Amino acid sequence: MNKIILGCIVAVIIVLSGCSTNQENDISLDKEQSYVPMVNLNGTIYSSYSLTKQEKYTAGEVLGKIKKRVPSSDIQKENLTSNYYDEGTVIYNVSEDKEIFLIEESPGVYSVLKKLE
């Protein structure tokens, strides 16, 4: 009879430890997906708010390249840093609107960056 009780206790411990692991994973997944891609450009923070095809805006001159990918808490400190885009990602100005910038995600598809308010 002691073996049955011991077996039940072990089973309960295994089930409980499995549940707590799943809860931790769910929380960390939410944290990873809950941030907005941001870029520091000349001391101003811009956020990515949509993707667009090349036809909607004309990518103008190159303003710079991302120098470093940083945690969100460090984004406001350094020019040409991002919490999302990798080093070397090119930032373009836009002929149609001086308030936004483009970052090429893939050939012909750009992220639109607008000043974070």
Side-chain angles (χ1 to χ4, degrees), residues 14-116:
I14 290 171
V15 169
L16 290 177
S17 64
C19 290
S20 66
T21 301
N22 287 340
Q23 289 174 348
E24 289 172 11
N25 288 341
D26 290 344
I27 292 169
S28 66
L29 286 176
D30 290 343
K31 286 181 184 176
E32 289 175 6
Q33 297 174 1
S34 65
Y35 70 91
V36 174
M38 293 184 288
V39 174
N40 180 325
L41 183 57
N42 298 321
T44 302
I45 306 301
Y46 292 85
S47 63
S48 174
Y49 72 96
S50 70
L51 288 176
T52 186
K53 297 278 185 184
Q54 189 171 4
E55 297 86 34
K56 186 168 180 177
Y57 296 107
T58 306
E61 67 182 64
V62 173
L63 294 177
K65 294 181 181 181
I66 299 297
K67 292 182 181 177
K68 186 169 40 169
R69 188 173 178 171
V70 298
S72 294
S73 59
D74 294 342
I75 190 92
Q76 296 186 28
K77 298 176 185 172
E78 298 180 56
N79 186 38
L80 296 173
T81 56
S82 175
N83 68 333
Y84 179 80
Y85 300 103
D86 292 325
E87 292 176 20
T89 303
V90 180
I91 304 169
Y92 299 92
N93 71 2
V94 175
S95 302
E96 295 83 5
D97 189 341
K98 303 220 182 285
E99 299 292 316
I100 64 170
F101 301 97
L102 299 178
I103 287 189
E104 192 166 25
E105 292 277 340
S106 61
V109 178
Y110 295 85
S111 278
V112 178
L113 298 176
K114 189 171 184 180
K115 187 176 179 179
L116 187 64

